[in-house]
Amino acid sequence: MRNEHQSKIESFYSANKRMPSYSEMTKLFGFKSKNAVFRVVEKLIDAGMVAKDHLGRLVPTQAFGEVPMLGFITAGLPATVEEELLERVNLDDMLIQKKASTYMLEVDGDSMIDAHIEKGDMVLVERANTAKDMQIVIAEIDGEFTMKYFRKEGNKVWLEPANKKYQPLYPEHSLNINAVLKAVIRKY
Amino acid sequence: MRNEHQSKIESFYSANKRMPSYSEMTKLFGFKSKNAVFRVVEKLIDAGMVAKDHLGRLVPTQAFGEVPMLGFITAGLPATVEEELLERVNLDDMLIQKKASTYMLEVDGDSMIDAHIEKGDMVLVERANTAKDMQIVIAEIDGEFTMKYFRKEGNKVWLEPANKKYQPLYPEHSLNINAVLKAVIRKY
DNA sequence: AGTATAAGTGAACGCTCGTTCACTGTCAAC
DNA sequence: GTTGACAGTGAACGAGCGTTCACTTATACT
């Protein structure tokens, strides 16, 4: 098998969050000698499936945390999809820029439904105390927290839902931005 | 500083996808002796910010690939959010079960808009050749690819959009499932 | 049968790892 | 001023690392 070894390393990596040593790989692959592993790894390196850093240690490359990005799918009328590998993306790197100030919340309620954010969705937000007009924010208005469009015209600020059922919220005392929306994640 | 060291290790980790060795940390922290690092790491371990595996090597723990999950945000009427740390989630582990058969596509078109999937969204799908009624799938119908609800009643199968503008698609010759939808990701 | 190629074993190498120890400097408490 | 805790230095250790070498076994080609 070509990448049977590769996938064993991958599962070790996602279980242990680090690469296995050569002696660990002897057990992984069922070899009795580190040299056998050494030769296997050499081929994996040639195939670009794994890499080594400046001093001998294995480091994960493409296809470890990364997922292939195959192009576009037309959700309208059917069309031939270009199913060729465009690139690979790491979900973490793609979604998280400032790790220290990023957190997640689960959405309850339906006031952002016209922005296609529904109950049960997970939102990835980044702490901030300012936002631009029309950004979606987590904000504290008169002491209570909510997720809405942030609106700003001149020196007037208010919050606006994405649902005609609800009214815009004008702060009586305070409107403090807590975080701005960076991504929405919905699991099926 | 309490976790100035911690965050230096974190940035090393996200840049190199592995933990630094003690000698690398001397450079990272500006020490001249490995022993100084050793003592710092000891404290980080006590604080639960980092861990060691069965034989001395550092392994990433909480707060490396993980993002804090702070609870619910009400998108309807404002409410006090419980801003306490409920748990930490790793995006990769949360979204990807079978890594080898998972890939991503960018959505074009608006036929799934009533399922709150819009143009520009990224969909994470898992290769499969069967699906249950009402699952969202990537399918090939009469030679062309599209994303729709998969419908099955008795031995009749067809595809259904989530947009009243479009009609259900009944296969003339073939309907092959390519993948089933696992997650939707929208970046802002 | 004979030989070349590939794949695995087992022992050895030097090097870096994590850890330990004895020592030096700094600051605060008494 | 002495003492004690704390933080950093520098040298040393045994262990495990990645790598190399010589040897064996199996498969395939003449």
Side-chain angles (χ1 to χ4, degrees):
Chain A
M1 296 293 104
R2 227 300 146 269
N3 50 2
E4 176 199 343
H5 292 136
Q6 165 75 5
S7 70
K8 282 189 178 170
I9 297 180
E10 277 182 38
S11 14
F12 185 100
Y13 182 77
S14 56
N16 300 66
K17 307 286 184 220
R18 66 168 174 85
M19 295 300 256
S21 73
Y22 281 47
S23 14
E24 283 168 325
M25 281 189 266
T26 57
K27 290 165 196 164
L28 261 185
F29 299 161
F31 288 144
K32 295 189 174 178
S33 167
K34 278 198 293 176
N35 188 17
V37 174
F38 180 76
R39 303 243 256 274
V40 167
V41 171
E42 251 184 347
K43 293 196 177 170
L44 290 178
I45 293 175
D46 286 351
M49 293 174 151
V50 107
K52 275 181 194 172
D53 64 2
H54 62 97
L55 244 170
R57 302 187 210 68
L58 255 53
V59 288
T61 12
Q62 47 161 96
F64 271 83
E66 303 187 350
V67 169
M69 174 71 198
L70 292 186
F72 290 87
I73 181 73
T74 309
L77 297 175
T80 40
V81 70
E82 321 97 71
E83 268 230 15
E84 32 183 331
L85 187 138
L86 291 187
E87 51 183 334
R88 296 184 153 273
V89 292
N90 179 306
L91 286 178
D92 283 324
D93 297 348
M94 166 181 155
L95 294 173
I96 304 176
Q97 278 95 47
K98 298 185 189 165
K99 210 180 84 40
S101 54
T102 300
Y103 65 99
M104 245 185 158
L105 292 169
E106 186 172 337
V107 176
D108 196 5
D110 60 348
S111 81
M112 295 307 285
I113 200 69
D114 291 343
H116 306 298
I117 301 172
E118 55 181 336
K119 179 169 154 62
D121 286 0
M122 309 290 244
V123 290
L124 212 54
V125 302
E126 205 174 282
R127 280 186 212 283
N129 38 43
T130 59
K132 294 174 192 152
D133 187 41
M134 287 305 284
Q135 275 188 317
I136 298 174
V137 299
I138 308 294
E140 176 252 312
I141 185 164
D142 296 328
E144 306 215 306
F145 280 90
T146 188
M147 175 166 68
K148 295 280 182 300
Y149 281 118
F150 176 70
R151 298 305 316 272
K152 179 176 186 175
E153 277 179 12
N155 52 4
K156 274 199 63 167
V157 293
W158 72 100
L159 298 179
E160 220 161 75
N163 185 339
K164 291 142 236 145
K165 272 170 41 189
Y166 297 95
Q167 298 300 315
L169 298 171
Y170 302 97
E172 286 183 33
H173 310 95
S174 65
L175 197 175
N176 296 316
I177 293 167
N178 181 275
V180 305
L181 180 62
K182 304 302 280 185
V184 175
I185 298 170
R186 186 180 309 132
K187 282 193 72 179
Y188 286 86
Chain B
M1 296 295 103
R2 227 299 145 270
N3 50 3
E4 177 199 341
H5 291 138
Q6 165 76 5
S7 69
K8 281 188 180 173
I9 297 181
E10 276 182 39
S11 12
F12 185 99
Y13 181 76
S14 56
N16 299 66
K17 307 287 183 221
R18 67 169 174 84
M19 296 300 256
S21 75
Y22 281 47
S23 12
E24 284 168 324
M25 281 190 266
T26 57
K27 290 165 195 165
L28 259 185
F29 298 160
F31 289 144
K32 294 190 176 180
S33 166
K34 280 198 291 177
N35 188 19
V37 174
F38 180 77
R39 303 243 257 274
V40 167
V41 171
E42 250 182 347
K43 292 195 177 169
L44 290 178
I45 293 175
D46 286 352
M49 293 175 153
V50 108
K52 275 181 194 171
D53 64 3
H54 62 98
L55 244 171
R57 301 186 210 69
L58 255 54
V59 288
T61 11
Q62 47 161 96
F64 271 83
E66 303 186 350
V67 168
M69 173 73 200
L70 292 187
F72 290 87
I73 180 72
T74 308
L77 296 175
T80 40
V81 70
E82 321 96 71
E83 269 229 17
E84 33 184 328
L85 187 138
L86 291 186
E87 51 183 335
R88 295 184 154 271
V89 291
N90 178 306
L91 286 179
D92 283 325
D93 297 347
M94 166 182 156
L95 294 174
I96 303 176
Q97 278 95 45
K98 298 184 191 167
K99 209 178 85 40
S101 54
T102 300
Y103 64 99
M104 246 185 156
L105 292 169
E106 185 171 338
V107 177
D108 195 5
D110 61 349
S111 82
M112 296 304 287
I113 201 70
D114 291 343
H116 305 299
I117 301 172
E118 56 181 335
K119 180 170 153 62
D121 286 1
M122 309 291 244
V123 289
L124 211 54
V125 301
E126 206 173 280
R127 281 186 211 284
N129 37 43
T130 59
K132 294 174 194 152
D133 187 42
M134 286 305 285
Q135 275 188 317
I136 298 174
V137 299
I138 309 294
E140 176 253 312
I141 185 166
D142 296 328
E144 306 216 304
F145 280 89
T146 189
M147 175 166 69
K148 295 280 182 299
Y149 280 118
F150 176 70
R151 298 305 315 273
K152 178 176 186 173
E153 276 179 11
N155 52 4
K156 273 199 64 167
V157 294
W158 71 100
L159 299 178
E160 221 162 73
N163 185 338
K164 291 143 236 144
K165 270 171 41 187
Y166 297 96
Q167 299 299 317
L169 297 171
Y170 302 98
E172 286 183 34
H173 310 95
S174 65
L175 198 175
N176 296 315
I177 293 168
N178 182 273
V180 306
L181 180 62
K182 302 303 281 186
V184 174
I185 298 170
R186 186 180 311 132
K187 283 194 71 179
Y188 286 87

